[in-house]
Amino acid sequence: MAFVTANWNPLGDVFYRKFDLYSEWMIKEDISNCLIAVAPYGGPIALMINGSRKEKAPNLRPVVEIYSSSGNRIISFPWKSGIVVHIGWTIVEDLLFIQDDGTVLIHDIFGTFKRHFSMGNEVLQNRVMEAKIFFTPYGSGVAILTGAFRFTLATNIDDLKLRRFPEVPGLQHPPTCWAVLVQDRQTKIVLANGKDLFILDNASCRAVTPPGLGPQACTFTQIAISFNYKWLALFTDTGNIWMGSSSLKDKLCVVDTNLQTPPKQFVWCNRPKSNNPSVVGIWDKLLLIAGNSKETIKFYQDEDVHLVPEVDGVRIISSSSHEFLHEVPPACQDIFRIASMAPGALLLEAHKEYEKESQKSDEYLREIKEQNLLFEAVEQCIEAAGNEYEPEMQKSLLRAASFGKCFISNFPPDTFVKMARDLRVLNAIRDYTIGIPLSYPQYKQLTIEVLIDRLVLRRLYPLAINICKYMKISEFQGASRILAHWACYKVQQKEEPDDSIARAINNKLGDTPGISYSEIAAKAYECGRTELAIKLLEYEPRSGEQVPLLLKMKRSQLALLKAIESGDTDLVYTVVTYLKNEMNRGDFFMTLQNQPVALSLYRQFCKHQEPETLKDLFNQDDNHQELGNFYVRSSYSNETTIEGRVAALQNAVDEYNKAKNEFAAKITEEQIKLVRCQFRLQKESGKTLLDLSLHETVSTLLLESKHKQAEQLYKDFKIPDKRFWWLKITALAKKEDWEELERFSKSKKSPIGYMPFVEICVKHHNKYEAKKYVAKVSPEQKVKGYIMVGDLEQAVEAATERKNESELNTILSKCTSASDQLIIEKINRAKTQILKK
């Protein structure tokens, strides 16, 4: 076990170790002459070669090279824009280039330009002296120090809001050092101007004094803020390092390094939940670790290195090596410390002896069991396995844990299973060909979802899908989403023909749930591949997704066809409206002619919203029948004058004649005649008659006692006799003109008989008048007439005379036993006589 601790270095009560992440790692460039940016969480490395040289040949362009963390070159391209002051990675692994004029250019991990933005006119005028990129809860931010010694910040480059910080009193030259601090969701700047230390926020600038550093403190030359913004370290020109809380209210310790020159880099190296935070500084070839102890750890380097702070340590990058420095986690210290008697160490030894088939295994197990620490031993081995980088050591620890579990009846398996799964994922992404050397704490902080996003960003689609399946991530969040990203990347490959790409995408995606072919087609259209986008849309089952993109691509005819096929009228209306706005009137109408469904829906729309357009449609089609109908509707809905109405109706007659619809033409002519008569009668009587039907007009005249005018209409319009008699007796009864009704009944023989007279009188509650007409009623209806007027006795006589038993029974049903006893007896006698005969 001694070899495990060979690279351990003590610092107070804890140990630090430094090991190679990749043994074959190699970058040919000398990083001391480059602008370098390394993304955290095992992210990529960007170098800008020749970018930092102030004096260089005019024809010597800077070159940008992007590598994975395993040293594999991803892309190399010449820089063709302005002078770059600083480069850095965002939280989503986009590469930012901050130019001296305040322009920030954003490229993706493959060097493709995405967009740019400016940090404002003040930065443009005063130029950029220094810049830093930082992370906030809102996203990635940019801090600029201008030539006027003022700070401008953007806390989220995806929602750009520039903030200019207050002026620092007495700052006549660049600050000695400065750093960005995010505290309580607020972004602040900590800066040192010689012996003075200031904290700037949006509204104020206040001087601060770190506790434990008296007035004899000298110039502050470096500032380091921890990855989680919890701790702050200051380096002074006397060689002291002050460490404390980032609020500058609590001191952790002060360490004397005996080095007066400021370090080239100064970063924190602290493990989450550790009580022993430390800082790392680099001086030429010396790397020094200082913590809450009088001692320090020193490493001597053969070449220039670059420090990359991580959530649980520091990555150390040089041209020939890529190392990781961190505090040895407690579980690993307990198990691997020399002569350790921790339960995890004993369990590991027990398993080793068990594999040798030695009885010592039982002795170690008994010792753990006697202390009731077997449960803790298993947990220690599982935890230590997560913090080991070498797969063989992970296996040894997990096997020991599995061995110990066999002797615990109720040990929950979830912890062991989850660690085994996580380590398998971590070992897969740490592979040299992938190059994402995440530690277990970084992996837990980053989350599996973000890791999948980063694999997709690197176009490692098969690995991402396999991890999703292995970790049992839902298809919608996992495989489907990854396949959609793959398809969007596939459509950008311009060397392949459209047919083969569309076929390949469909073969791979099929009907996978959560896949939107329209989004993939939209990406193809953005890349200028319209035909490919159309082919991809053929696989989109939702017409509502197809149509908007087809319209955007100016494929309106196809959009209309798809909308009609969907059966969604709202979608058809959307396309028709678009066509109407985009095309000239003639082409628009001709397009609709070829699509009967769309034409019908558009006619319905025009009928209610644009009647004049509807008329144009009918005219273009020579549809005289519909034009006639249009003029008829128009005469009543739009025309307010009698002349306009008559003219519209006359137009309708002309159109009906052209359509050879003699019936429609005839009745429309009759309507014109009626309208003119109504207008004349209306002027004479002052009573509103327009818009009434012929029958309503006659009834209105009769109610107004305009009998001559009513009879004239009866003659002019050849109203049938029966209909006119009905209209007249109804009107006379309604106005209770019983004398005129009687005179009318005697004027000539009624074409409708006299039963209607009886019924109309009874309807208006006048049985007295009704009795006058019962005698004139035909024999077949006399019984009914007498019953209606309430004369049951006469009804019995009429029924007896007709010898109709059925009518007698009807009368009997109308009698009441108390008041109509005589009539009942009379009915019974009549029935008896009928039966005898």
Side-chain angles (χ1 to χ4, degrees):
M1 211 177 293
F3 74 94
V4 177
T5 60
N7 61 348
W8 289 18
N9 295 274
L11 185 68
D13 298 330
V14 296
F15 292 86
Y16 283 81
R17 65 179 173 187
K18 181 165 69 82
F19 58 89
D20 283 323
L21 292 173
Y22 295 101
S23 57
E24 299 178 3
W25 197 88
M26 179 68 72
I27 289 181
K28 295 179 181 179
E29 295 297 332
D30 180 6
I31 63 172
S32 63
N33 293 326
C34 304
L35 288 176
I36 182 169
V38 184
Y41 297 103
I45 302 162
L47 300 176
M48 192 169 199
I49 305 160
N50 302 321
S52 61
R53 296 175 186 170
K54 300 296 182 185
E55 295 181 5
K56 55 180 183 285
N59 59 347
L60 188 61
R61 285 185 179 276
V63 176
V64 178
E65 293 186 346
I66 301 176
Y67 296 86
S68 71
S69 283
S70 58
N72 287 321
R73 182 184 288 176
I74 298 173
I75 191 72
S76 175
F77 61 95
W79 183 251
K80 298 179 180 179
S81 192
I83 298 172
V84 176
V85 175
H86 183 76
I87 62 174
W89 294 93
T90 68
I91 203 165
V92 292
E93 296 192 335
D94 282 334
L95 185 57
L96 302 188
F97 295 86
I98 303 173
Q99 297 185 160
D100 66 342
D101 60 356
T103 303
V104 181
L105 294 90
I106 305 177
H107 291 246
D108 67 13
I109 196 172
F110 294 98
T112 306
F113 175 74
K114 294 176 74 174
R115 63 185 180 91
H116 75 279
F117 63 89
S118 172
M119 292 297 290
N121 287 329
E122 185 193 350
V123 177
L124 175 63
Q125 291 169 5
N126 296 307
R127 317 307 279 182
V128 177
M129 286 192 68
E130 295 179 35
K132 294 184 189 296
I133 294 164
F134 58 94
F135 303 145
T136 72
Y138 312 105
S140 303
V142 174
I144 299 289
L145 173 64
T146 69
F149 313 123
R150 298 289 296 272
F151 288 94
T152 299
L153 264 75
T155 54
N156 183 6
I157 62 171
D158 295 319
D159 182 18
L160 196 64
K161 293 177 183 176
L162 299 177
R163 292 186 294 168
R164 188 186 183 205
F165 275 28
E167 194 172 348
V168 180
L171 189 64
Q172 302 298 323
H173 51 77
T176 315
C177 53
W178 62 280
V180 180
L181 172 65
V182 179
Q183 221 174 43
D184 301 325
R185 300 181 74 86
Q186 287 187 345
T187 306
K188 303 176 182 179
I189 287 177
V190 182
L191 70 89
N193 183 23
K195 298 179 181 180
D196 300 318
L197 194 65
F198 299 92
I199 293 182
L200 280 74
D201 58 22
N202 287 339
S204 64
C205 172
R206 59 189 175 90
V208 290
T209 303
L213 277 178
Q216 76 278 6
C218 297
T219 301
F220 299 108
T221 57
Q222 276 284 17
I223 297 175
I225 294 176
S226 64
F227 197 87
N228 59 5
Y229 297 109
K230 185 178 178 181
W231 304 103
L232 184 144
L234 299 167
F235 188 87
T236 68
D237 62 353
T238 58
N240 288 327
I241 297 175
W242 180 92
M243 288 182 273
S245 65
S246 59
S247 62
L248 292 169
K249 293 180 180 178
D250 303 305
K251 183 188 83 169
L252 186 67
C253 64
V254 177
V255 179
D256 186 1
T257 64
N258 296 317
L259 297 166
Q260 277 73 40
T261 57
K264 291 181 178 179
Q265 265 189 285
F266 192 50
V267 299
W268 278 87
C269 176
N270 58 311
R271 179 179 56 79
K273 300 180 182 178
S274 172
N275 296 319
N276 300 280
S278 60
V279 292
V280 180
I282 187 76
W283 288 262
D284 291 329
K285 301 295 190 288
L286 172 67
L287 187 145
L288 181 142
I289 306 170
N292 193 5
S293 171
K294 292 182 180 179
E295 297 85 16
T296 60
I297 301 173
K298 295 181 180 179
F299 293 99
Y300 290 94
Q301 307 292 130
D302 295 330
E303 54 191 338
D304 288 319
V305 299
H306 180 77
L307 304 180
V308 185
E310 295 281 2
V311 69
D312 60 336
V314 176
R315 286 156 67 195
I316 304 169
I317 295 174
S318 69
S319 296
S320 59
S321 65
H322 189 176
E323 299 172 301
F324 186 60
L325 170 68
H326 72 134
E327 178 191 329
V328 179
C332 296
Q333 289 190 41
D334 290 341
I335 292 174
F336 297 117
R337 185 180 295 168
I338 296 172
S340 172
M341 296 298 291
L346 294 175
L347 181 58
L348 183 61
E349 285 300 318
H351 179 256
K352 286 181 178 179
E353 295 301 327
Y354 172 76
E355 287 186 326
K356 296 176 185 176
E357 299 182 356
S358 168
Q359 65 180 10
K360 287 184 179 180
S361 174
D362 184 58
E363 294 174 9
Y364 285 126
L365 278 173
R366 285 179 183 277
E367 187 173 348
I368 300 170
K369 285 183 176 179
E370 284 172 2
Q371 300 175 56
N372 291 322
L373 294 175
L374 188 54
F375 196 99
E376 183 182 336
V378 174
E379 286 191 325
Q380 270 189 348
C381 287
I382 293 172
E383 184 181 347
N387 288 290
E388 288 298 321
Y389 198 80
E390 291 299 326
E392 288 304 316
M393 185 56 69
Q394 297 167 3
K395 289 177 185 177
S396 296
L397 289 163
L398 287 177
R399 283 172 183 152
S402 179
F403 176 68
K405 281 199 306 117
C406 298
F407 302 96
I408 304 173
S409 58
N410 58 348
F411 188 87
D414 296 352
T415 310
F416 180 87
V417 172
K418 192 169 189 316
M419 181 59 75
R421 285 178 175 274
D422 288 341
L423 284 175
R424 189 169 180 186
V425 171
L426 283 171
N427 290 333
I429 63 171
R430 288 168 180 169
D431 186 81
Y432 181 81
T433 58
I434 307 301
I436 305 178
L438 281 181
S439 66
Y440 184 73
Q442 293 169 25
Y443 168 73
K444 300 309 288 183
Q445 179 85 6
L446 192 66
T447 72
I448 184 68
E449 291 79 13
V450 177
L451 175 60
I452 296 298
D453 287 341
R454 296 200 169 184
L455 290 173
V456 170
L457 186 71
R458 288 163 171 75
R459 301 170 186 166
L460 300 170
Y461 305 109
L463 177 61
I465 290 173
N466 288 335
I467 289 176
C468 286
K469 290 177 179 176
Y470 181 68
M471 299 300 284
K472 296 179 179 171
I473 296 172
S474 69
E475 193 169 17
F476 182 78
Q477 290 292 328
S480 295
R481 187 169 62 89
I482 296 165
L483 286 170
H485 279 282
W486 166 80
C488 289
Y489 166 67
K490 187 78 174 172
V491 299
Q492 299 175 53
Q493 298 177 355
K494 297 186 177 180
E495 64 276 4
E496 289 192 47
D498 296 343
D499 287 337
S500 62
I501 290 179
R503 223 173 9 253
I505 290 173
N506 182 243
N507 291 339
K508 182 73 73 175
L509 272 56
D511 297 325
T512 306
I515 293 290
S516 172
Y517 280 96
S518 61
E519 291 179 6
I520 303 167
K523 186 67 177 178
Y525 178 64
E526 284 176 18
C527 297
R529 307 188 70 169
T530 306
E531 292 303 320
L532 175 58
I534 293 170
K535 291 180 187 298
L536 289 169
L537 281 178
E538 292 296 327
Y539 302 118
E540 175 59 63
R542 298 166 296 176
S543 298
E545 298 291 328
Q546 289 178 315
V547 170
L549 184 56
L550 286 169
L551 292 177
K552 186 179 178 182
M553 294 190 294
K554 308 294 183 185
R555 298 302 177 100
S556 49
Q557 300 277 3
L558 186 56
L560 182 59
L561 189 62
K562 294 293 182 184
I564 292 169
E565 287 176 358
S566 73
D568 186 342
T569 54
D570 289 340
L571 207 55
V572 178
Y573 277 129
T574 300
V575 180
V576 169
T577 305
Y578 174 85
L579 291 172
K580 181 184 173 187
N581 294 332
E582 290 294 316
M583 304 173 93
N584 63 58
R585 200 176 183 85
D587 291 342
F588 173 60
F589 286 166
M590 288 304 296
T591 301
L592 292 184
Q593 288 298 326
N594 299 323
Q595 300 294 343
V597 174
L599 180 59
S600 176
L601 288 171
Y602 185 61
R603 282 175 178 170
Q604 289 294 324
F605 169 79
C606 292
K607 185 175 179 180
H608 297 96
Q609 302 291 333
E610 299 178 4
E612 286 302 315
T613 305
L614 186 63
K615 175 185 166 185
D616 294 341
L617 275 171
F618 293 145
N619 265 323
Q620 182 164 343
D621 296 345
D622 291 332
N623 192 336
H624 301 294
Q625 177 66 38
E626 288 297 337
L627 269 173
N629 296 343
F630 170 80
Y631 283 123
V632 169
R633 283 192 297 268
S634 177
S635 70
Y636 283 91
S637 59
N638 300 330
E639 301 297 338
T640 55
T641 64
I642 185 66
E643 294 82 4
R645 180 170 296 183
V646 169
L649 289 172
Q650 187 57 55
N651 287 337
V653 171
D654 297 340
E655 295 300 332
Y656 287 137
N657 284 327
K658 290 176 184 177
K660 297 182 180 179
N661 188 338
E662 295 179 4
F663 172 75
K666 183 66 177 174
I667 59 173
T668 309
E669 287 173 350
E670 292 285 319
Q671 184 64 22
I672 294 172
K673 182 179 174 183
L674 176 62
V675 168
R676 285 175 172 156
C677 288
Q678 286 174 333
F679 182 69
R680 175 175 51 78
L681 293 169
Q682 185 171 296
K683 286 178 69 177
E684 293 174 0
S685 63
K687 188 76 173 178
T688 302
L689 295 173
L690 283 171
D691 295 334
L692 298 181
S693 67
L694 177 60
H695 292 175
E696 289 170 338
T697 305
V698 171
S699 295
T700 303
L701 290 171
L702 292 170
L703 287 170
E704 294 292 319
S705 300
K706 306 285 186 183
H707 297 291
K708 287 184 179 179
Q709 289 89 333
E711 287 181 6
Q712 188 62 45
L713 286 178
Y714 155 60
K715 294 172 183 176
D716 291 346
F717 289 93
K718 298 178 183 178
I719 299 174
D721 291 346
K722 287 184 178 181
R723 193 174 303 167
F724 181 70
W725 274 65
W726 265 110
L727 291 171
K728 188 162 185 176
I729 66 171
T730 302
L732 292 173
K734 189 174 181 180
K735 62 181 293 192
E736 298 184 351
D737 191 349
W738 306 116
E739 292 181 8
E740 181 61 31
L741 181 63
E742 187 175 358
R743 277 197 298 273
F744 181 60
S745 70
K746 296 175 180 178
S747 62
K748 64 177 182 178
K749 184 178 179 182
S750 170
I752 57 174
Y754 291 93
M755 192 63 192
F757 285 82
V758 176
E759 290 173 344
I760 206 74
C761 290
V762 171
K763 182 180 177 182
H764 288 83
H765 313 293
N766 195 335
K767 290 184 180 180
Y768 175 78
E769 287 294 329
K771 287 179 181 180
K772 294 178 181 179
Y773 306 104
V774 175
K776 295 182 180 182
V777 172
S778 63
E780 295 83 7
Q781 292 184 312
K782 268 190 180 177
V783 172
K784 181 182 176 183
Y786 282 124
I787 291 172
M788 289 183 72
V789 298
D791 193 346
L792 298 181
E793 191 171 342
Q794 287 293 331
V796 172
E797 289 182 3
T800 303
E801 187 177 337
R802 281 172 47 76
K803 299 177 182 178
N804 192 320
E805 186 178 358
S806 175
E807 290 179 344
L808 288 170
N809 289 333
T810 303
I811 299 167
L812 185 62
S813 66
K814 302 290 182 181
C815 297
T816 56
S817 56
S819 59
D820 299 321
Q821 190 62 41
L822 292 175
I823 295 174
I824 293 171
E825 291 175 0
K826 192 172 181 179
I827 292 171
N828 289 332
R829 284 197 301 274
K831 288 172 70 177
T832 304
Q833 288 176 6
I834 292 170
L835 289 172
K836 283 180 181 180
K837 292 180 181 180

